[in-house]
């Protein structure tokens, strides 16, 4: 097929795709019990892992949290199905569906760390649950949105695949999962110490800025992220109770910090006095920061001040007198600056190294032995005792009924009626635990397009208070998108009428109704305006009068805290949105070589694997680099950028969003797709040539030997190593023929990149290195 025919074929597919979406897509919304969903008949016909779905990634904690939500009666996000004849595919919801299936089949036991309310169910499998809990699980309902193409006789597999991916995109790219800081903001909304801290930083802007500069970022910002400061406050407040060897281990770190904080705050007698002591400690750290950060830019790293605050809090608790000499502090941290580098700072050894170093320094100036704060052999048992006490206090099954939600069936409500309620002040769209307006205009436009196409939106969850005010628990971002497009005001948490950040925004990036891109609501024709106002959204209203013990914050977290959300610009997202042939080819190359050619090694134990498709993403990046260097002959500089970071040089993909846009475009650009498939094949040839060079012997070890130019005893591969190797190999006309000379060339470049000889790293060094690589392509 020549280029002209390829373009015509691609244009025909796009035209048919848009026609189906506008006229031939049947959408059915229904609610069924989990018992029906997991019946033998349904399990035979439902394919929950089609190729465009990502791997199953939930661990036992996430599984348990989800099952607890089901048993509590929390509404969970709907499953999105695609029906073709008798066959059904799960387009969105694989993690939820498979978790339900695994629990029903006794594949895991409920983990105490994942149970926020029903701790007494810890270590229970489905079969060992009490009969009443098994029945509650079976009878719990789940919503399903089922899509089916009707009245389109010439449906090809290519168009059908494109339809599935577009549906997936609509239900995933609009999701903005909560950050850990936002989860904590909701979780601790009623915590007195957090409230006191938040109140203080809101009324002491300069103090908040100082904290931000020392512990979050060295740059000042216009809008301080209160959630991040609150999160750091709780962590730093409790870190002295968490032996560093245990904290650095990372296992259950978040859960343990939460548990310690909860127990510590129960012991506080005077909140005001406790906060006053913490603020005084921050002020002392700030005096150090103001003095020594001017001496050398390297002394501005936040890791130094996190450790200093930790030491100061311990000395205060232990009532130890000491004097601080800023000159001595500056000298010590400059002499040991390598222990406080941000790169790989989260690794166990690096955490232990920097806190131990600070402990040694403060031991010299105070005489206090920090050993117990670094390593406490009794800590594990103490935590276990605390957990057992907590679970014993929550083990009364009689409390269960108070936790169950008494919620009615959804009410289908037209947008026009919702807007009327908003105008009449009956809606509180921004309760205290809600987050800021985050959804972009592109995502908001996609929501409006879905409304115009009649595609169901997830339901709104409303908590109707005694005074009649409807508090939006879930659906805020969707509501703000609709209000913004229509140009409507709403009342904020201070009862002040405001407009959304996207007020009267123009539609952007519409894929189906692309003829109205650039339109505001006022520019739409009357038919489209009526479609929006008549569109019904399901609303689930939880009445305070019928749910005395209801906790809106808990439901907000359960609905919004997406475990392991699909990240944008990742293979998990590309897997479900990019052309199938491209994805399948990358997956095959990855699977054929996963035992040795990887950037992240998977666990041997299947239960411990959390495969986020990093290796497929890695092969995609190398193929993208190959495409630019070999096929387009543009060199590496369009793809990989080199940067100075403190006293190191680093490299990364320049524009990952650009890679995403390129991959998505392949579905409509047949010629470019053919060329990229060829680049993937070339990437495979280079991998094969490495096998040949190693004589197919000890592939993993031999590759490590080439890349480990610093001769580290525990070597961990990085993308940077492979980028350097690829850039070098692709500079040769016969890049896929690997010999000893090329291997030595790779190692020389890696040694310079890793600064094996200890050269001073500055901007000139980075430029010289980049020029050296660019000259490879000119010679």
């Amino acid at each position: 097929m020549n280029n002209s025919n390829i373009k015509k074929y691609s244009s025909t597919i796009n035209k048919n795709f848009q026609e189906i979406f506008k006229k031939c897509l049947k959408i059915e919304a229904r609610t069924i019990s989990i018992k029906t969903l997991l019946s033998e008949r349904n399990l035979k016909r439902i394919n929950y892992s089609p190729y465009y779905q990502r791997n199953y990634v939930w661990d036992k904690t996430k599984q348990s949290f989800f099952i607890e939500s089901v048993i509590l009666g929390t509404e969970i996000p709907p499953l999105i199905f695609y029906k073709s004849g008798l066959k059904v595919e799960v387009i969105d919801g694989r993690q939820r569906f498979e978790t339900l299936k695994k629990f029903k089949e006794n594949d895991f036991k409920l983990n105490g760390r994942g149970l926020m309310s029903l701790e007494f169910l810890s270590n229970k499998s489905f079969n060992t649950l009490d009969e009443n809990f098994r029945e509650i699980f079976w009878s719990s309902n789940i919503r399903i949105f089922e899509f089916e193409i009707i009245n389109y006789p010439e449906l090809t597999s290519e168009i059908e695949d494109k339809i599935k991916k577009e549906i997936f995109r609509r239900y995933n790219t609009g999701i903005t999962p909560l950050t850990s800081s936002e989860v904590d903001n909701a979780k601790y909304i009623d915590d007195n110490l957090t409230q006191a801290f938040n109140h203080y930083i809101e009324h002491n802007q300069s103090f908040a800025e100082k904290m931000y500069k020392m512990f979050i970022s060295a740059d000042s910002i216009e809008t301080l992220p209160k959630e991040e400061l609150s999160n750091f406050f709780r962590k730093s407040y409790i870190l002295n109770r968490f032996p560093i060897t245990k904290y650095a281990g990372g296992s259950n770190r978040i859960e343990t910090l939460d548990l310690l904080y909860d127990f510590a705050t129960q012991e506080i007698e005077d909140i005001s006095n406790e906060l006053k002591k913490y603020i005084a400690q921050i002020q002392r750290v700030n005096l150090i920061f103001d003095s020594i950060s001017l001496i050398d830019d390297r002394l501005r790293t936040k890791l130094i001040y996190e450790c200093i605050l930790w030491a100061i809090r311990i000395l205060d608790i232990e009532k130890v007198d000491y004097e601080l000499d800023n000159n001595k502090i500056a000298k010590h941290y400059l002499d040991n600056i390598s222990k406080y580098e941000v790169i790989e700072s989260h690794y166990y050894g690096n955490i232990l190294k920097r806190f131990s170093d600070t402990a040694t320094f403060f031991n010299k100036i105070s005489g206090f032995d920090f050993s117990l704060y670094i390593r406490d052999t009794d800590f594990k048992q103490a935590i276990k005792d605390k957990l057992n006490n907590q679970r014993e206090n929550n083990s009364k099954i009689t409390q269960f009924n108070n936790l169950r939600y008494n919620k009615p069936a959804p009410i289908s409500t037209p947008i026009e009626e919702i807007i009327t309620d908003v105008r009449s002040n009956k809606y509180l769209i921004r309760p205290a635990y809600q987050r800021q307006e985050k959804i972009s205009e592109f995502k908001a436009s996609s929501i409006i397009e879905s409304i115009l196409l009649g595609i169901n939106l997830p339901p709104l969850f409303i908590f109707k208070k005694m005074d009649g005010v409807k508090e939006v628990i879930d659906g805020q971002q969707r509501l703000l998108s609709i209000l913004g497009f229509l140009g409507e005001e709403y009342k904020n948490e201070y009862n002040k009428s405001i407009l959304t950040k996207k007020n009267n925004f123009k539609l952007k990036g519409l894929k189906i109704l692309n003829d109205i891109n650039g339109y505001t609501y006022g520019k739409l024709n009357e038919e489209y305006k009526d479609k929006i106002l008549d569109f019904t959204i399901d609303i689930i209203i939880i009445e305070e009068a019928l749910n005395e013990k209801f906790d809106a914050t808990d439901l907000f977290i359960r609905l919004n805290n997406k475990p392991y959300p699909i990240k944008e610009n990742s293979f998990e997202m590309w897997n479900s949105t990019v052309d199938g042939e491209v994805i399948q080819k990358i997956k095959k190359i990855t699977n054929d070589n996963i035992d040795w050619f990887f950037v992240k090694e998977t666990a041997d134990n299947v239960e411990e694997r959390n495969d986020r498709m990093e290796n497929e993403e890695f092969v995609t990046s190398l193929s993208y680099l190959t495409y630019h260097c070999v096929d387009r002959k543009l060199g590496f500089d369009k793809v990989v950028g080199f940067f100075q970071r403190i006293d190191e040089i680093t490299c990364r993909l320049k524009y990952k969003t650009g890679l995403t846009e390129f991959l998505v475009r392949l579905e409509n650009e047949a010629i470019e797709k053919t060329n990229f498939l060829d680049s993937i094949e070339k990437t495979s040839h280079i991998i094969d040539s490495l096998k040949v060079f190693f004589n197919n012997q000890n592939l993993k070890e031999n590759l490590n030997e080439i890349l480990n130019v610093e001769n580290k005893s525990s070597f961990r591969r990085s993308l940077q190593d492979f980028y350097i190797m690829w850039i070098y190999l692709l500079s040769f006309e016969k890049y896929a023929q690997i010999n000893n000379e090329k291997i030595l060339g790779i190692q020389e470049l890696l040694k310079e990149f890793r600064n094996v000889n200890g050269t001073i790293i500055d901007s000139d060094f980075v430029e010289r290195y980049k020029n050296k690589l660019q000259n490879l392509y000119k010679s």
Side-chain angles (χ1 to χ4, degrees):
M1 191 181 293
N2 60 37
N3 287 353
S4 177
N5 288 336
I6 289 175
K7 288 180 179 178
K8 286 180 182 177
Y9 179 68
S10 179
S11 176
T12 300
I13 288 176
N14 285 331
K15 184 179 177 182
N16 293 342
F17 163 71
Q18 291 181 351
E19 183 183 350
I20 289 172
F21 239 98
K22 291 176 182 177
K23 301 177 182 178
C24 305
L25 205 57
K26 176 186 174 186
I27 309 164
E28 182 182 352
R30 53 199 172 94
T31 301
I32 63 174
S33 68
I34 289 176
K35 189 170 189 176
T36 300
L37 177 71
L38 299 180
S39 68
E40 290 301 317
R41 180 170 171 271
N42 273 332
L43 287 178
K44 286 178 182 176
R45 61 199 287 261
I46 296 174
N47 176 12
Y48 57 84
S49 57
Y51 86 87
Y52 50 83
Q53 278 282 7
R54 61 172 171 163
N55 299 329
Y56 183 76
V57 297
W58 284 9
D59 59 20
K60 290 179 180 177
T61 300
K62 309 302 179 187
Q63 292 170 340
S64 301
F65 183 70
F66 176 69
I67 296 299
E68 180 189 54
S69 297
V70 171
I71 292 174
L72 283 173
T74 306
E75 182 88 10
I76 57 179
L79 299 176
I80 313 301
F81 286 175
Y82 176 81
K83 184 180 179 184
S84 179
L86 296 176
K87 296 293 183 183
V88 175
E89 289 181 10
V90 179
I91 288 183
D92 182 52
R94 184 222 173 133
Q95 309 295 317
R96 301 189 294 279
F97 183 93
E98 194 167 352
T99 298
L100 292 170
K101 180 176 178 291
K102 283 177 176 288
F103 187 62
K104 172 240 182 185
E105 294 173 352
N106 297 288
D107 277 358
F108 67 92
K109 295 179 180 179
L110 297 176
N111 186 310
R113 292 194 302 274
L115 300 173
M116 289 178 63
S117 303
L118 307 177
E119 291 90 347
F120 56 85
L121 296 182
S122 179
N123 212 34
K124 296 282 189 182
S125 64
F126 178 73
N127 278 352
T128 59
L129 281 177
D130 290 345
E131 185 177 348
N132 61 322
F133 282 110
R134 287 202 302 272
E135 185 53 39
I136 287 168
F137 175 80
W138 276 134
S139 60
S140 295
N141 291 330
I142 189 164
R143 292 168 60 76
I144 292 171
F145 295 161
E146 189 171 78
F147 290 78
E148 183 179 12
I149 298 172
I150 58 173
N151 301 326
Y152 197 87
E154 299 177 6
L155 184 65
T156 66
S157 59
E158 194 170 2
I159 294 175
E160 188 175 35
D161 192 60
K162 196 175 171 87
I163 294 288
K164 294 174 189 174
K165 288 180 175 178
E166 178 60 21
I167 296 168
F168 172 90
R169 185 185 69 82
R170 288 183 178 275
Y171 282 101
N172 279 274
T173 57
I175 293 172
T176 309
L178 293 179
T179 64
S180 59
S181 296
E182 288 171 332
V183 171
D184 283 343
N185 177 54
K187 190 191 303 181
Y188 290 101
I189 195 71
D190 294 322
D191 173 59
N192 291 331
L193 187 57
T194 298
Q195 284 182 340
F197 173 79
N198 287 341
H199 182 268
Y200 186 84
I201 62 174
E202 282 172 7
H203 293 83
N204 292 271
Q205 186 80 357
S206 62
F207 177 84
E209 287 180 351
K210 288 173 185 176
M211 276 197 73
Y212 186 83
K213 285 181 180 180
M214 287 190 292
F215 305 118
I216 309 295
S217 169
D219 301 319
S220 61
I221 58 169
E222 293 179 4
T223 305
L224 291 169
K226 184 178 73 175
E227 293 87 357
E228 285 191 49
L229 289 178
S230 296
N231 202 25
F232 175 80
F233 160 68
R234 283 186 294 272
K235 173 188 164 185
S236 60
Y237 179 81
I238 205 63
L239 192 55
N240 58 282
R241 297 187 181 222
F242 201 165
I244 296 303
T245 52
K246 300 298 181 185
Y247 170 75
S251 177
N252 311 326
R253 182 186 297 167
I254 302 299
E255 292 87 350
T256 306
L257 282 169
D258 287 347
L259 179 69
L260 290 172
Y261 181 82
D262 290 342
F263 276 97
T265 51
Q266 289 172 21
E267 300 169 3
I268 297 175
E269 294 181 1
D270 187 334
I271 293 290
S272 177
N273 187 53
E274 193 68 21
L275 182 61
K276 188 177 179 180
K277 287 190 291 185
Y278 179 84
I279 290 168
Q281 291 157 353
I282 295 292
Q283 300 285 24
R284 262 180 279 167
V285 177
N286 185 245
L287 289 174
I288 297 170
F289 176 84
D290 285 347
S291 175
I292 73 172
S293 64
L294 298 175
I295 296 172
D296 193 304
D297 278 348
R298 290 176 295 171
L299 292 175
R300 294 174 67 83
T301 177
K302 61 185 179 182
L303 299 176
I304 291 175
Y305 303 100
E306 179 184 55
C307 291
I308 290 175
L309 176 61
W310 168 80
I312 285 175
R313 282 184 55 75
I314 289 171
L315 293 176
D316 280 5
I317 289 166
E318 298 287 349
K319 296 180 171 54
V320 176
D321 293 328
Y322 60 95
E323 288 187 11
L324 295 175
D325 183 323
N326 288 336
N327 290 326
K328 288 182 179 179
I329 293 173
K331 183 179 186 309
H332 173 82
Y333 283 101
L334 276 176
D335 289 344
N336 295 276
I337 197 67
S338 63
K339 296 172 183 173
Y340 297 86
E341 292 175 354
V342 175
I343 298 173
E344 299 182 345
S345 61
H346 61 288
Y347 290 158
Y348 175 89
N350 293 336
I351 295 174
L352 186 58
K353 193 185 297 180
R354 64 177 177 268
F355 278 96
S356 297
D357 176 71
T358 291
T360 300
F361 174 70
F362 276 84
N363 169 255
K364 288 178 182 177
I365 64 176
S366 69
F368 179 75
D369 184 359
F370 285 79
S371 297
L372 271 180
Y373 289 91
I374 296 291
R375 191 183 310 274
D376 184 354
T377 54
D378 297 328
F379 177 77
K380 187 174 182 180
Q381 185 58 46
I383 286 295
K384 192 172 182 180
D385 292 343
K386 287 181 185 293
L387 278 170
N388 287 337
N389 289 336
Q390 188 184 59
R391 284 174 187 152
E392 188 176 326
N393 292 334
N394 290 286
S395 63
K396 297 177 182 177
I397 297 180
T398 53
Q399 294 178 353
F400 171 73
N401 289 331
N402 291 330
L403 295 169
R404 285 275 291 176
Y405 300 127
N406 183 359
K407 66 177 191 295
I411 302 170
S412 295
T413 309
I415 285 177
E416 185 175 31
E417 184 179 328
I418 295 172
I419 297 299
T420 302
D421 273 3
V422 170
R423 286 177 186 154
S424 62
N425 304 332
K426 289 182 179 177
Y427 267 80
L428 175 58
I429 294 178
R430 289 281 307 281
Y433 50 80
Q434 273 284 9
R435 51 209 176 138
Q436 299 296 319
E437 184 178 348
K438 296 187 76 169
I439 198 166
S440 69
E441 288 188 9
F442 280 102
K443 290 181 179 180
S445 296
S446 182
I447 288 173
I448 300 301
E449 185 181 36
S450 291
I451 288 172
L452 290 171
L453 291 168
I455 295 174
N456 304 72
L457 297 181
L460 302 180
F461 284 82
I462 305 295
F463 181 42
K464 188 175 181 181
K465 305 179 85 171
M466 293 289 194
D467 59 6
V469 173
K470 296 175 180 177
E471 188 175 290
V472 179
I473 299 174
D474 186 57
Q476 179 210 48
Q477 303 298 320
R478 296 189 290 281
L479 267 181
L480 290 177
S481 297
I482 295 167
L483 291 171
F485 188 62
L486 270 60
E488 293 282 348
E489 291 184 338
Y490 71 98
K491 289 288 181 73
N492 66 7
E493 62 269 42
Y494 306 112
N495 202 35
K496 179 182 176 183
S497 292
I498 62 171
L499 294 165
T500 74
K501 293 178 181 178
K502 299 180 290 294
N503 187 53
N504 286 319
F505 69 89
K506 295 177 181 179
L507 296 173
K508 294 181 179 178
L510 304 190
K511 295 186 68 175
I512 312 300
L513 305 175
N514 50 22
D515 56 320
I516 58 171
N517 273 320
Y519 279 41
T520 60
Y521 176 73
K523 196 176 176 183
L524 292 179
N525 62 37
E526 290 304 314
E527 181 184 356
Y528 275 152
K529 287 180 180 178
D530 285 342
K531 278 188 176 182
I532 292 173
L533 295 176
D534 292 340
F535 183 84
T536 59
I537 300 177
D538 282 349
I539 299 180
I540 296 171
I541 299 178
I542 300 170
E543 302 259 3
E544 184 177 17
L546 301 175
N547 294 271
E548 186 181 346
K549 304 282 186 179
F550 175 72
D551 182 353
T553 304
D554 177 77
L555 180 56
F556 169 75
I557 293 172
R558 290 181 186 278
L559 290 168
N560 287 279
N561 186 21
K562 310 288 190 295
Y564 303 122
I566 299 177
K567 297 176 183 177
E568 291 187 270
N569 307 313
S570 70
F571 194 87
E572 283 187 315
M573 182 58 76
W574 301 335
N575 181 56
S576 304
T577 53
V578 173
D579 181 87
E581 189 177 357
V582 171
I583 293 301
Q584 294 291 57
K585 196 173 186 71
I586 289 169
K587 281 184 174 180
K588 184 177 188 311
I589 292 170
T590 305
N591 292 333
D592 288 347
N593 301 285
I594 195 65
D595 56 332
W596 70 282
F597 192 80
F598 56 82
V599 71
K600 182 170 182 181
E601 194 167 9
T602 56
D604 293 331
N605 184 348
V606 175
E607 287 189 2
E608 294 177 0
R609 287 182 188 170
N610 183 1
D611 188 354
R612 301 299 304 270
M613 299 182 133
E614 291 99 335
N615 290 312
E616 287 87 347
E617 190 173 318
F618 158 57
V619 171
T620 307
S621 299
L622 293 182
S623 301
Y624 188 54
L625 186 54
T626 303
Y627 177 76
H628 273 77
C629 291
V630 178
D631 289 286
R632 300 193 67 192
K633 301 191 184 305
L634 294 175
F636 69 88
D637 199 38
K638 296 288 184 183
V639 179
V640 178
F642 288 80
F643 313 91
Q644 180 188 354
R645 183 178 289 177
I646 308 178
D647 59 348
E648 284 191 351
I649 183 173
T650 183
C651 69
R652 58 175 171 78
L653 285 184
K654 273 187 170 179
Y655 310 109
K656 214 169 176 188
T657 53
L659 174 52
T660 297
E661 290 166 3
F662 169 79
L663 292 171
V664 171
R665 192 170 67 237
L666 296 180
E667 197 167 51
N668 300 320
E669 299 288 342
I671 297 171
E672 206 164 15
K673 170 187 164 182
T674 300
N675 293 336
F676 188 63
L677 285 170
D678 184 54
S679 294
I680 299 171
E681 192 62 36
K682 287 170 182 170
T683 297
S684 180
H685 289 332
I686 297 176
I687 298 171
D688 289 340
S689 67
L690 280 167
K691 285 183 186 176
V692 172
F693 179 78
F694 295 140
N695 293 317
N696 282 301
Q697 300 294 316
N698 302 318
L699 297 174
K700 176 180 171 183
E701 293 78 6
N702 281 323
L703 185 56
N704 279 346
E705 191 173 332
I706 290 172
L707 300 177
N708 185 16
V709 294
E710 296 174 279
N711 294 316
K712 291 183 176 179
S713 55
S714 58
F715 173 67
R716 181 176 294 190
R717 305 172 182 190
S718 76
L719 276 169
Q720 298 179 106
D721 299 320
F722 285 98
Y723 288 155
I724 301 297
M725 179 169 72
W726 232 248
I727 288 169
Y728 179 75
L729 290 175
L730 295 175
S731 69
F732 291 91
E733 187 177 344
K734 296 182 179 179
Y735 51 84
Q737 292 182 9
I738 296 178
N739 52 36
N740 284 316
E741 184 180 349
K742 287 181 180 176
I743 295 297
L744 289 173
I746 292 166
Q747 290 185 309
E748 286 304 310
L749 282 176
L750 281 172
K751 284 178 182 177
E752 192 172 353
F753 180 78
R754 294 295 180 191
N755 197 17
V756 171
N757 297 324
T759 308
I760 294 175
I761 302 292
D762 54 21
S763 57
D764 290 338
F765 181 93
V766 177
E767 281 304 310
R768 286 197 302 272
Y769 192 78
K770 283 170 59 179
N771 289 335
K772 187 172 186 177
L773 293 177
Q774 286 166 345
N775 287 333
L776 292 172
Y777 287 81
K778 295 175 183 176
S779 60

